[in-house]
Amino acid sequence: MITVHHLNNSRSQRILWLLEELELPYEIVHYQRDPATMLAPPELRKIHPLGKSPVVTLDDGTVLAESGAIIETLVERFGHGRLAPPPGTPEALRYRYWLHYAEGSAMPPLLLKLLFDRIGRAKMPFFAKPIARGIVDKAMSGFIAPQLKTHLGYLEGELAQRDWFAGPGFTAADIQMSFPLEAAQARAGLTAAAYPRLSGWLARIHARPGYQRAKARGGKLALS
């Protein structure tokens, strides 16, 4: 039995969705973030030294971490040709690219925005607030906001060429891309007016039965 060590409001939601799409049986061990720090509980370190989620354990004792590595491994072992394009095709090259792009390129500016938003809201002595606000505003306007706009524009353009990220059909690359785009929709200006194709893509993935089953088992993502 595959076991998913699932942290609320985290990337592990993608793994539940993948397993639902592959129609594989699995168990969930639930973990809750600390409500004050929003960090994962220390119990996750018993499963993997970094104490992060997702982490998946297999029947043979294998421990898998990192969303992209988990998705690639599960699709290769259990997919039997599903959710991945045939090797050697242009779609396969795009598939691998998006599996890496999601965390390597799309998530860093989103994480920076989350961090600087928190700095801007943090409690601090009154005399420090103008300094902190100036730093936050400079980082947001000078780097983070332009980066987010660049990435969202790039992704909008990619979906002008095809319905799904790797090609004409839904693949696990779309599952991997879901978390950064859901985060962008929640807190980085991804709206239907500004990015109609990305918004349409999000509506399509949210309507998938596998996505709905994963949400029912793992809980709704609250990324705002």
Side-chain angles (χ1 to χ4, degrees), residues 124 126-137:
M124 62 187 72
F126 73 93
F127 57 83
K129 286 185 178 181
I131 299 172
R133 174 49 60 189
I135 294 171
V136 168
D137 289 346

Side-chain angles (χ1 to χ4, degrees), residues 101-160:
Y101 169 90
E103 293 295 327
S105 295
M107 281 306 300
L110 287 163
L111 290 171
L112 283 173
K113 186 177 188 305
L114 178 64
L115 174 63
F116 277 88
D117 281 344
R118 288 182 178 177
I119 292 172
R121 296 194 304 266
K123 293 182 179 179
M124 62 187 72
F126 73 93
F127 57 83
K129 286 185 178 181
I131 299 172
R133 174 49 60 189
I135 294 171
V136 168
D137 289 346
K138 187 68 173 177
M140 287 289 194
S141 63
F143 179 75
I144 298 171
Q147 280 291 302
L148 290 170
K149 185 176 181 180
T150 295
H151 281 279
L152 291 175
Y154 167 57
L155 296 170
E156 180 78 4
E158 287 294 308
L159 290 183

